[in-house]
Amino acid sequence: MIIDEENKQVNNRLASSLSPVGAVIVAAGSGERMGEVDKMFALLGGEPVLARVVDVFQSCDLIDRIVVVVSKQSLKKCRQLGIERGWFKVVDVCPGGERRQDSVAAGLSRLRDCHWVVIHDGARPLVTEDLIRHGLAEAEETGAAVAAVPVTDTIKVAGDDRLVQHTPSRHNLWVVQTPQVFRFDIITEAYRRVKAEVTDDASLVEQSGYKVKLYMGAYDNIKVTTPDDLALAEVLWQKHGK
Ligand code: CTP
Ligand code: MG
């Protein structure tokens, strides 16, 4: 009860200082490592993975508008899903690009009048409203905040010959996830300036010289990449009592 009240207060404060907040959900990959199954429409707890993701953003009070980026073949199916599930915050469902960053750029170009944007992988269906809220709260200070968890395995750096060059201390190593939250002007400038290929949005912001803060993500916030991940996501979904 107390936590609910605290959350409500944080929500109200954030909502007034950050608003309007947009979300870009990227789901336009080809899902090659998943094999035959279209991972965005694979079922998790009986509903499509993509539906699980968009539902969380739709329910989150801090999110004002959502753009969903999908492959050309999935445009119709996704729009239909939106109608069925009453996604009134979804202002656009648009086609993605060749690389993930092209899909994000396509999504950003469809968001109007937002001060902040939360970018999230459609392939991470275990995202929670708390992760979105914490990201927005952290980003308020630096302009950019990214969900991440401390590395649990030992990481080695090796050459192409696989000979180990060094073993960095685990102490400062983090595995990065989404949500990634940015002030709208910072992320749009980063996308305009940096054309290098990257694997996350924060890299572009870092390369543009802005500070990026890591905030505690969740080990359960996995990315569904292979069929094994989908099986694990199902177990985690049940674990959360959903
Ligand atoms: N993504 C995207 N557009 C792309 C590539 C990726 O919107 N051109 C999205 C994916 O749909 C996914 C997220 O970015 O939600 C992370 O990508 P990843 O897990 O690599 O998914 P895919 O690229 O679809 O899978 P694969 O790399 O196995 O083909
Ligand atoms: Mg990929």
Side-chain angles (χ1 to χ4, degrees):
M1 227 34 205
I2 291 172
I3 290 179
D4 275 359
E5 189 49 40
E6 268 175 21
N7 273 347
K8 216 192 274 167
Q9 282 174 12
V10 173
N11 267 2
N12 288 343
R13 192 188 57 74
L14 279 175
S16 57
S17 65
L18 297 175
S19 156
V21 179
V24 172
I25 296 171
V26 280
S30 50
E32 263 168 47
R33 288 168 286 179
M34 188 59 127
E36 294 299 293
V37 176
D38 179 350
K39 69 180 181 183
M40 290 304 153
F41 291 89
L43 299 186
L44 176 65
E47 301 287 346
V49 164
L50 183 58
R52 293 298 185 198
V53 175
V54 182
D55 279 357
V56 175
F57 283 79
Q58 170 69 41
S59 305
C60 181
D61 290 345
L62 296 174
I63 300 293
D64 297 295
R65 337 188 202 300
I66 304 168
V67 172
V68 187
V69 187
V70 294
S71 63
K72 277 203 185 74
Q73 309 86 275
S74 300
L75 281 170
K76 226 172 129 187
K77 213 162 145 185
C78 183
R79 286 183 183 135
Q80 188 55 37
L81 199 60
I83 294 167
E84 282 163 22
R85 301 184 80 87
W87 289 338
F88 61 84
K89 291 183 187 171
V90 174
V91 292
D92 209 339
V93 176
C94 74
E98 197 159 319
R99 303 167 302 173
R100 182 185 177 282
Q101 68 205 80
D102 302 322
S103 297
V104 174
L108 287 173
S109 74
R110 307 287 177 118
L111 266 186
R112 298 265 169 264
D113 307 321
C114 285
H115 290 154
W116 292 86
V117 60
V118 181
I119 300 174
H120 186 68
D121 289 334
R124 291 185 192 271
L126 288 135
V127 64
T128 59
E129 289 185 40
D130 268 352
L131 280 177
I132 299 169
R133 188 168 27 247
H134 291 158
L136 281 161
E138 287 286 348
E140 217 185 351
E141 267 178 50
T142 55
V146 170
V149 289
V151 162
T152 53
D153 291 325
T154 296
I155 305 289
K156 293 201 184 283
V157 178
D160 289 338
D161 56 6
R162 293 213 195 149
L163 284 174
V164 173
Q165 292 170 345
H166 69 277
T167 305
S169 155
R170 259 198 331 230
H171 177 63
N172 288 315
L173 291 178
W174 295 74
V175 178
V176 166
Q177 311 178 330
T178 66
Q180 301 204 348
V181 183
F182 306 98
R183 226 172 60 206
F184 195 76
D185 58 329
I186 292 179
I187 189 71
T188 45
E189 185 201 324
Y191 263 90
R192 219 176 19 248
R193 280 174 54 165
V194 186
K195 299 296 171 204
E197 183 155 355
V198 290
T199 50
D200 79 337
D201 309 296
S203 305
L204 299 175
V205 171
E206 291 150 34
Q207 286 176 38
S208 300
Y210 290 100
K211 283 199 171 82
V212 174
K213 182 83 183 278
L214 300 181
Y215 73 97
M216 192 54 77
Y219 286 101
D220 285 359
N221 179 29
I222 62 164
K223 182 159 71 69
V224 174
T225 309
T226 65
D228 283 349
D229 295 327
L230 189 59
L232 176 59
E234 189 69 44
V235 171
L236 293 169
W237 187 260
Q238 305 299 333
K239 179 186 122 185
H240 287 270
K242 302 221 174 142

